[in-house]
Amino acid sequence: FIETFSRQVAKSPNAPAVRFESQSLTYVELDQRAADLAEKLQAVGVGVNSVVGIHLPRSIDLMVAVIGVMKSGGAYLPLDPQLPTARKEYMQQNAHCSIVVDAGGIKVSTSAVEIAGEQLDTNMADAAAYVMYTSGSTGQPKGAVISHAGLMNYLQWCTQTYPFTTGWGAPVQSSFGFDATITSMLAPLVVGKLVHLLPKDSELQALADILQTGPSVLKLTPAHLAALQPLISINLKPKLLPQALVVGGETLTAEHVRFWRKNYPTIEIYNEYGPTETVVGCCVHKIDEQTNQYGNLPIGRPISGTQLYVLDEYLEPMPMGCPGELYISGAGVAHGYLGRPALTAERFVPNPFATPDGKHGRVMYRTGDLACFQTSGVLHYLGRTDHQVQLNGYRIELGEIEALLRKQTGVRECAVVCFDGASSAASFHQRKQLVAFVETDASVLQPGQLLDALKQELPDYMLPKHFEFLPQLPLTQNGKIDREALSATRLTSASSEPVAPRNDREIQLLEIWRNVLNVAQLGVEDNFFERGGDSIIAMQIIAGARREGLKLTPAQLFEHQTIAAQAAVAEVVSDFAAGPQQPPTGEVRLGPMQQAFFDLGQPDLHHFNQGLLLRSHPQLDFQLLTQAIHAVHSQHDAFRLRFEQTDAGEWRQWYDDQLEQTPTVEDLDLTQAGNFQQALEETIRQRQTSFDLKQGPLFQAARFRGPQGEDRLLLLAHHLVVDGISWRILLGDLDDAYRQ
């Protein structure tokens, strides 16, 4: 990777390489900072195969650290700051990681230790590039060692296959401890494009915004696709859209991509499959017109340098159309698991199909996934042979959660099941979620106790969202836990009496839920998605919490789906002040998405707008409507923003100090138009090109009277001041104002 990156530095030294909020580095600046860090790391003993931890949030420094560690010859170990301390400590100990790069610089505990048990050549192509930990069935995560050769095999393939040469690059919205992030974090740097790191606190909305600025590729999970859909308009200009969506991490269905196939057929969509142990993706299917319209989508064919085998228990190939276990060989297969020789021997087995010269790889990785080849040669994923599940892009060993639960006082036995929102047994769920069934006699045992204990060891994405206490778990005839029976269980939260709030924070959140969901009977253990929540409503919950002085992020709300769980993770906003606030004035810094928009250098900047065309009742009172629009306009300060490019070429924004300025609300008569639809479209087109970023206003409204009562209401605003969530809020405010 470093050699390829260095060639890009020489080719385009002043091109933007990485951006985070208002900070950015060119290729030469990123290279220099990484080289300085590499020199310091080598000075404390880092060399080929030394494991170096990186304990940094998503930031410019994170990118410098990743490249700096690889420049030094070491292998980087992601230590996401959001992981529990106990888990990070185990990862460092297991990886013999004595050097960590964090916000304070380089921390050294002892001399650098090379990866234990790995007999690797000093040739950099065979050396370790990174160590990625994934869930383990024994109660502890396992660290897969990925080589530079394996990493570059994937990066070279993906930059040749995915359309990175068009568009500006890729945003990064997922943790760098999630191996799928490599597609967005490193692939752009191979081809001289930009890596745009999105802010953690608003990553869902930031992702919705930035996909409308012309990126090359978006790397997503199916859960991302579902969450983004309500935030995306269906009439965006093709030049503002991503060139491709690369989806991976869990099973992709036709339902996940139907919105994109219908409304934006020019966007390429790829279903990418690959365990952490085989470098991000080893199999891909490009979705086209021939791809099925219902059910699970194929995972496709192997990438270059990779071989896929569907085998029986004797390692014999299964006939076409017959299911078997999927094995993977080739350049991307990991060197094994750190400090786990028995597990390495179990999962990384000799390849009986290797040629004498080593072609096809001497080792196969045994995935535990069930798959089958169709006669066309396309591979289909069918499920698991064990209790591993895929959830929100992560592979989770349910046994790891169960092992920790069994250590807790009062837990006699347990089983963790992944409830699928698509299944009839869990029909009240809108999303997949983990449910822990606990066999106990302890009447005093509470879900909060178990959740608190698990939080000490497990990342948020592995925490059960519901605990079900039973006097005895159901058993099969062979005396094993009957997981199928548990999966068919109707959870008590679906029918039990609402649980009353137990503290002030739960009272605050309960009131917010009631107002936003418009549901009176709610309890603190009710599931957000069960009670009608979605990604748009989630943003309104977050906004409501902020008004009450509490901070919740989209990631927290999606991971913690009850009031009780959200109350436990919500933070008090230190700068919160009760009472009315003075309208903001003066100049303000551009937001990341605004800066990205201006950096694109698009022509006709004034035309970048979003609009809503609504059917309106012929008896609508136009005078009241105008007053309501003016009232809403005055309540939202973003409409007073103005923009100007300075002589130095930089864009600035400020609040117009004319607080009482109101937009004109037009009342247009098209009842006599020969072709109402054509006249309507032409009139709207004229208004879409009439915004002035410097003088304003950046909001317009018009009522169109059409023949036979076919009236329409147009609300139009520049996209620099509105987004998908804003419209939902504005429409609610407009409805309230008109009724009042």
Side-chain angles (χ1 to χ4, degrees), residues 80 82-84 87 91 135 141 394 396 400-401 404 434 454-465 559-560:
D80 192 319
Q82 292 194 317
L83 290 176
R87 193 175 186 88
M91 290 161 59
S135 179
Y394 295 93
I396 298 171
E400 182 176 356
I401 308 170
L404 292 172
L434 298 179
L454 294 181
K455 285 179 180 178
Q456 303 302 313
E457 304 279 348
L458 298 176
D460 284 350
Y461 64 83
M462 291 183 67
L463 296 175
K465 300 303 180 285
E559 290 296 330
H560 306 282

Side-chain angles (χ1 to χ4, degrees), residues 15 81 141 216 232 251 256 330 339 358 394 399 435 540 599-600 604 612 658 701:
S216 309
I232 306 301
T251 303
H256 283 129
Y394 295 93
V435 176
Q540 294 175 274
D599 287 347
L600 286 173
D604 303 324
L612 295 179
Q658 299 182 46

Side-chain angles (χ1 to χ4, degrees), residues 27-229:
Y27 270 80
V28 70
E29 290 170 338
L30 177 59
D31 182 62
Q32 185 57 58
R33 285 189 55 181
D36 292 343
L37 176 62
E39 185 177 345
K40 294 175 182 176
L41 289 170
Q42 289 171 338
V44 295
V46 173
V48 175
N49 290 333
S50 299
V51 181
V52 179
I54 299 179
H55 188 253
L56 289 167
R58 197 179 303 156
S59 60
I60 295 287
D61 289 343
L62 172 63
M63 292 297 297
V64 171
V66 168
I67 297 175
V69 170
M70 287 196 284
K71 272 181 173 286
S72 73
Y76 73 87
L77 168 63
L79 297 170
D80 192 319
Q82 292 194 317
L83 290 176
T85 300
R87 193 175 186 88
K88 289 182 288 191
E89 289 176 349
Y90 171 81
M91 290 161 59
Q92 285 183 251
Q93 181 182 13
N94 179 249
H96 295 269
C97 174
S98 57
I99 297 178
V100 174
V101 179
D102 62 16
I106 300 173
K107 299 292 191 301
V108 184
S109 55
T110 61
S111 60
V113 181
E114 291 187 359
I115 294 175
E118 298 295 334
Q119 300 299 319
L120 304 179
D121 298 334
T122 55
N123 184 314
M124 183 57 75
D126 292 324
Y130 62 86
V131 178
M132 194 74 68
Y133 275 78
T134 184
S135 179
S137 59
T138 62
Q140 297 290 2
K142 51 190 186 291
V145 182
I146 303 298
S147 70
H148 279 271
L151 173 62
M152 281 311 300
N153 182 75
Y154 172 77
L155 290 178
Q156 289 174 343
W157 169 84
C158 87
T159 52
Q160 293 169 4
T161 304
Y162 303 146
F164 274 101
T165 54
T166 52
W168 53 256
V172 174
Q173 82 286 347
S174 51
S175 168
F176 82 121
F178 178 31
D179 74 320
T181 305
I182 285 172
T183 310
S184 303
M185 187 175 72
L186 296 183
L189 300 180
V190 171
V191 290
K193 296 291 183 174
L194 173 69
V195 176
H196 191 133
L197 306 171
L198 300 185
K200 181 69 178 174
D201 288 347
S202 57
E203 60 191 26
L204 183 61
Q205 182 58 53
L207 187 61
D209 288 340
I210 206 166
L211 72 77
Q212 301 173 57
T213 62
S216 309
V217 170
L218 254 66
K219 184 66 177 285
L220 306 157
T221 65
H224 277 128
L225 282 182
L228 281 173
Q229 183 174 323

